């Protein structure tokens, strides 16, 4: 009797391939590793920048967060959330402390509450977002957004991160005047070592991308960093520190004196969830939470939409695999960020750099997350790559995202204007949430007055009304106080 052939048991590598869908999405392990490393390189600046924003700013009680502590919890929360997202949502999106919310906390919130109380508000904000995602309401809002606006969000984010790159590199600078508000370089000149390094990096990456070289962005970053280190050793440019316009914007490219440092994680758990309600009253605390929720909710939604399209995993309606899980984990990021005093953790648009390298799965996120966890111990190494070099990668990625504009139908002006406003407001106001909000409000207003009110989802009306409150929150807070 001849026995039927048995199917060989899948190997560990095969099970991992099936779990992360490496083969299914047409990628390779090497590509995912490169993408994960590149995403980390373009995001590593947050370990330096977040302490500069949060650290040293006294709260209402006169207490400040220490920079070294903030750096440690920034890397910790980013690593934990990015690995978690990679394993649950299995998408190449990386997490870190959101720049919009951390600035809002430092500039506005801690003027009236303490740092533990401010982080308590961030935790509440995260719990609300988790609840909205778990109940499916966040997905319903996501699905209610017209395809035209979803594509516009992708294009707007492309312009936004390219603009971030230009500003971080010093290629575009403020004039400190009302008109014109920005200018090319310093007084119209880009003849500084850091900005020239940015241009060198941009050319290297652009040529490698045009020639379809694998690892183009990562190779460009490494090569340009070597150039930057040599340039600094020769000309001793030094840091900008807001005083030297010819200096490096954030990180001086030089070999570190030490490689390893032990992280100080004493800020973990230093949070007072309900303290703000007693200090400033329930109404004022609710308005602060409202602002945090709107910023977190729509920044993440816009980023995920754009990144999913760039990775080629989005459906025609803009949704993507395990959408609800992704939205829940993103809410958890706010909770973890508040609980560690790192500020709300959210999806970073810089993830597009790894996607531009070819990453399509959550394994790239796991790689990025592990590197963030290691960064707690190797903080000196994160300071080697200058921001000007990372900025060049952002400009390249921005260009890759803007090409999505070809999917927008420009034949009907009732949709053209909201789409245009969505795209242009993001870079001009330095906010993804602002662009989405203006797009939603203008879509509802113009489309309804053009006789197309029945085509607008009721949820979109509600969200647009919420954005009107969001944009008018300043006067509303004054009235409440």
């Amino acid at each position: 009797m001849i026995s039927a052939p048995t199917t060989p048991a899948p190997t560990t590598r095969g099970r991992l391939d099936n779990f992360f869908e490496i083969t299914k999405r047409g990628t390779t392990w090497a590509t995912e590793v490169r993408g994960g490393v590149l995403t980390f390189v373009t995001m590593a600046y947050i370990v330096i920048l977040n302490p500069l924003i949060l650290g040293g700013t006294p709260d209402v009680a006169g207490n400040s967060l220490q920079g070294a502590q903030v750096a440690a919890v920034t890397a910790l929360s980013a690593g934990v959330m990015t690995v978690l997202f990679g394993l649950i949502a299995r998408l190449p999106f990386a997490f870190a402390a959101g720049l919009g919310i951390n600035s809002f906390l430092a500039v506005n919130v801690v003027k009236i509450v303490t740092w533990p109380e401010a982080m308590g508000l961030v935790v509440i904000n995260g719990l609300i977002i988790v609840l909205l995602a778990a109940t499916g309401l966040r997905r319903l809002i996501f699905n209610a957004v017209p395809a035209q606006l979803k594509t516009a969000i992708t294009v707007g984010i492309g312009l936004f991160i390219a603009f971030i790159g230009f500003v971080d590199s010093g290629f575009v600078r403020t004039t400190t005047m009302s008109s014109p508000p920005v200018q090319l370089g310093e007084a119209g000149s880009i003849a500084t070592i850091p900005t020239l390094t940015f241009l060198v990096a941009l050319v290297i990456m652009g040529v490698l991308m045009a020639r379809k070289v694998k690892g183009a962005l990562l190779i460009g970053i490494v090569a340009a960093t070597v150039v930057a280190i040599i340039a600094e050793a020769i000309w001793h440019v030094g840091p900008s520190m807001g005083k030297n316009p010819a200096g490096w914007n954030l990180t001086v490219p030089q070999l570190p004196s030490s490689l390893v440092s032990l992280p100080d994680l004493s800020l973990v758990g230093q949070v007072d969830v309900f303290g703000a309600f007693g200090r400033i009253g329930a109404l004022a605390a609710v308005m602060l939470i409202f602002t945090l929720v709107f910023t977190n909710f729509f920044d993440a939604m816009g980023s995920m939409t754009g990144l999913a399209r760039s990775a080629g995993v989005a459906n025609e309606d803009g949704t993507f695999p395990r959408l609800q899980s992704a939205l829940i984990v993103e809410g958890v990021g706010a909770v973890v960020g508040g609980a560690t005093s790192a500020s709300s953790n959210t999806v970073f648009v810089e993830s597009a750099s790894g996607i531009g390298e070819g990453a399509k799965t959550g394994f790239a996120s796991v790689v990025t997350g592990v590197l963030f966890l290691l960064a707690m111990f190797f903080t000196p190494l994160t300071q080697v790559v200058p921001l000007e070099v990372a900025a060049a990668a952002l400009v390249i990625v921005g260009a890759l995202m803007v090409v999505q504009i070809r999917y927008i139908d420009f034949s009907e002006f009732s949709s053209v204007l909201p789409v245009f406003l969505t795209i242009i407001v993001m870079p001009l106001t330095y906010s993804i949430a602002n662009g989405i909000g203006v797009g939603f409000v203008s879509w509802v207003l113009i489309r309804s007055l053009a006789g197309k009110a029945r085509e607008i989802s009721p949820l979109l009306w509600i969200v647009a009304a919420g954005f009107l409150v969001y944009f008018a929150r300043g006067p509303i807070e004054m009235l409440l106080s």
Side-chain angles (χ1 to χ4, degrees), residues 357-371:
E357 191 64 34
K360 296 178 182 293
T361 77
F363 187 72
S365 293
V366 172
V367 172
T368 304
V370 170
L371 290 175

Side-chain angles (χ1 to χ4, degrees), residues 23-362:
T23 302
K24 180 179 178 181
R25 295 187 185 176
T27 182
T28 65
W29 293 104
T31 299
E32 296 301 300
V33 170
R34 284 201 309 269
V37 172
L38 183 56
T39 295
F40 170 76
V41 170
T42 56
M43 285 179 60
Y45 72 87
I46 193 64
V47 180
I48 304 166
L49 185 57
N50 201 37
L52 295 179
I53 295 174
L54 298 182
T57 302
D59 60 21
V60 68
N63 299 317
S64 302
L65 303 179
Q66 299 302 311
Q69 296 174 331
V70 176
V73 295
T74 298
L76 172 66
S77 58
V80 169
M81 286 310 308
T82 303
V83 170
L84 187 66
F85 190 85
L87 294 175
I88 294 178
R90 286 173 255 172
L91 293 166
F93 306 169
F95 279 62
L99 291 177
I101 288 182
N102 62 5
S103 299
F104 176 63
L105 293 175
V107 174
N108 300 102
V109 178
V110 295
K111 289 182 179 179
I112 54 177
V113 300
T114 65
W115 275 112
E117 291 165 353
M119 294 303 171
L121 295 176
V122 173
V123 170
I124 295 173
N125 145 68
L127 292 174
I128 292 173
I129 291 176
V130 169
L131 181 63
L132 291 173
T135 57
L137 182 58
R138 193 175 186 185
R139 179 165 186 163
L140 287 175
I141 295 173
F142 185 93
N143 292 337
V145 180
Q148 294 277 75
L149 282 183
K150 286 178 179 175
T151 305
I153 289 169
T154 303
V155 176
I157 291 173
L159 290 180
F160 175 55
I161 64 175
F163 189 52
I164 290 175
F166 284 127
V167 172
D168 287 349
S169 67
F171 190 83
V172 173
R173 301 182 187 226
T174 178
T175 61
T176 69
M177 297 184 296
S178 59
S179 181
V182 293
Q183 63 183 349
L184 177 68
E186 183 66 23
S189 171
I190 55 172
T192 65
I193 298 299
T195 306
L196 289 175
T197 302
F198 158 76
L199 293 176
V200 169
L202 189 63
V203 170
I204 293 174
M205 294 177 197
V207 171
L208 292 176
M209 288 289 293
R211 298 181 70 89
K212 299 181 180 180
V213 175
K214 290 185 177 181
L217 296 182
L218 186 57
I219 294 172
I221 286 178
V222 173
T225 299
V226 172
V227 171
I229 292 174
I230 295 172
E232 174 61 24
I234 295 174
W235 286 288
H236 305 289
V237 178
S240 171
M241 303 295 290
K243 299 178 181 179
N244 175 19
W248 300 97
N249 194 1
L250 183 62
T251 304
V252 177
Q254 53 191 5
L255 296 177
S257 57
S258 62
L259 298 179
V260 181
S261 61
L262 292 176
D264 182 352
L265 302 176
S266 56
L267 285 179
V268 175
Q270 298 297 315
V271 58
D272 185 349
V273 177
F274 300 108
F277 289 84
R279 184 180 296 274
I280 60 177
L283 286 176
V286 167
M287 282 305 300
L288 290 176
I289 294 171
F290 179 84
T291 303
L292 290 171
V293 169
F294 256 73
T295 303
N296 227 143
F297 189 111
F298 290 101
D299 263 4
M301 190 189 80
S303 298
M304 287 185 181
T305 301
L307 293 173
R309 285 188 180 276
S310 295
V313 297
N315 302 317
E316 291 184 4
D317 61 357
T319 60
F320 49 85
R322 290 174 286 277
L323 171 59
Q324 186 165 2
S325 298
L327 296 176
I328 292 174
V329 175
E330 197 278 329
V332 173
V335 177
V336 171
T340 57
S341 293
S343 181
S344 177
N345 271 231
T346 188
V347 175
F348 255 52
V349 291
E350 282 85 349
S351 305
S353 59
I355 292 172
E357 191 64 34
K360 296 178 182 293
T361 77

Side-chain angles (χ1 to χ4, degrees), residues 1-6:
M1 183 175 179
I2 301 175
S3 58
T6 58

